[in-house]
Amino acid sequence: MTELLTKNILNHITLSKKELESFCSLFNQKEVRKKHFLMQEGEICKFEGFVTKGLFRVYHIDSNGFEQVLYFAQENWWITDIDSFTNEKPSQLYIQALEDSEVLLISKKDKEFAYNNIPKIEKLFRVMTQKTHIALQRRIIDNLSKTADRRYIDFIEKYPNLFQRLTNLQIAAYLGISHEFLSKIRRKIASKK
């Protein structure tokens, strides 16, 4: 299970074998069945997770009852509610498995232990945080400046494997549009081919 995690870590920083083993030993494996929740709104997020198998969606339900997908997390992606995890406050998010999934979880206490005992781990999370901020900034700019058609095409091109694993309803919730509007976009694109 930790092989994928090890590769992910080594893509960002260099660690000795001992440091790598020590850090990976801080994670606990959890299996989450399809449609089950890793976390629900109102709970305090007590983990940062690394997906080793399967697919999750991280979403919020707005005051009108509409789901708003922040992101999907497939194999080799990290997953958490960073606000709830960092500030130890109730989450506004749900983290749900869309397939039978497995995730490696690290607690805040164990992450702090790693920071203090394997200093390079702080660099790992700093680099990952920067990449997350860049992705979120780009997503916000896209949502503000691109048409829904263009966002849909970009999503397909950027995440072709992920696209195949999602329903139209899930993609529409990620794009911030209705399922019906997504169907119109798909028909329009198909008619141009």
Side-chain angles (χ1 to χ4, degrees):
M1 285 288 105
T2 59
E3 185 179 330
L4 196 59
L5 176 61
T6 298
K7 286 180 183 176
N8 185 278
I9 292 165
L10 294 176
N11 279 337
H12 300 292
I13 61 169
T14 304
L15 292 175
S16 70
K17 186 175 180 184
K18 184 180 176 186
E19 289 171 325
L20 200 52
E21 288 173 356
S22 176
F23 181 55
C24 289
S25 73
L26 299 174
F27 287 79
N28 295 306
Q29 181 182 343
K30 182 172 179 77
E31 294 182 11
V32 185
R33 307 277 296 152
K34 181 178 180 177
K35 295 186 179 181
H36 288 208
F37 291 91
L38 186 57
M39 188 194 74
Q40 295 189 59
E41 181 181 37
E43 298 174 357
I44 294 174
C45 183
K46 302 210 179 271
F47 64 85
E48 284 196 47
F50 179 77
V51 181
T52 56
K53 176 186 169 197
L55 177 63
F56 291 88
R57 68 178 172 151
V58 178
Y59 69 98
H60 170 73
I61 299 177
D62 71 15
S63 60
N64 294 318
F66 295 111
E67 292 180 7
Q68 300 166 330
V69 175
L70 274 68
Y71 64 95
F72 299 102
Q74 60 186 334
E75 297 86 358
N76 203 34
W77 288 26
W78 290 83
I79 190 167
T80 192
D81 175 342
I82 197 66
D83 183 14
S84 177
F85 180 78
T86 303
N87 298 312
E88 297 179 349
K89 63 180 223 171
S91 178
Q92 297 179 53
L93 304 176
Y94 295 85
I95 301 177
Q96 183 184 38
L98 298 177
E99 302 170 354
D100 287 344
S101 302
E102 294 175 6
V103 63
L104 295 171
L105 304 175
I106 187 168
S107 69
K108 188 171 186 174
K109 180 179 142 218
D110 286 338
K111 187 177 171 187
E112 290 296 327
F113 174 85
Y115 284 169
N116 293 325
N117 293 283
I118 315 166
K120 294 176 193 170
I121 296 302
E122 266 197 287
K123 180 180 179 186
L124 169 70
F125 282 98
R126 178 178 51 81
V127 169
M128 291 188 322
T129 300
Q130 288 171 335
K131 289 183 175 190
T132 300
H133 277 91
I134 291 166
L136 288 172
Q137 180 177 309
R138 288 178 180 167
R139 180 146 186 243
I140 291 168
I141 290 168
D142 287 352
N143 283 348
L144 294 172
S145 63
K146 292 183 178 178
T147 65
D149 299 32
R150 184 72 250 168
R151 292 196 319 268
Y152 174 71
I153 292 166
D154 288 350
F155 180 78
I156 294 169
E157 290 172 352
K158 189 171 183 180
Y159 305 110
N161 296 332
L162 182 58
F163 168 74
Q164 303 291 331
R165 297 164 73 177
L166 299 170
T167 66
N168 286 341
L169 207 57
Q170 292 161 347
I171 295 168
Y174 176 81
L175 296 174
I177 59 176
S178 70
H179 177 261
E180 295 77 17
F181 191 58
L182 178 60
S183 295
K184 287 179 186 177
I185 292 170
R186 291 174 59 110
R187 281 194 300 274
K188 185 169 35 168
I189 292 168
S191 72
K192 290 180 181 178
K193 290 183 180 179

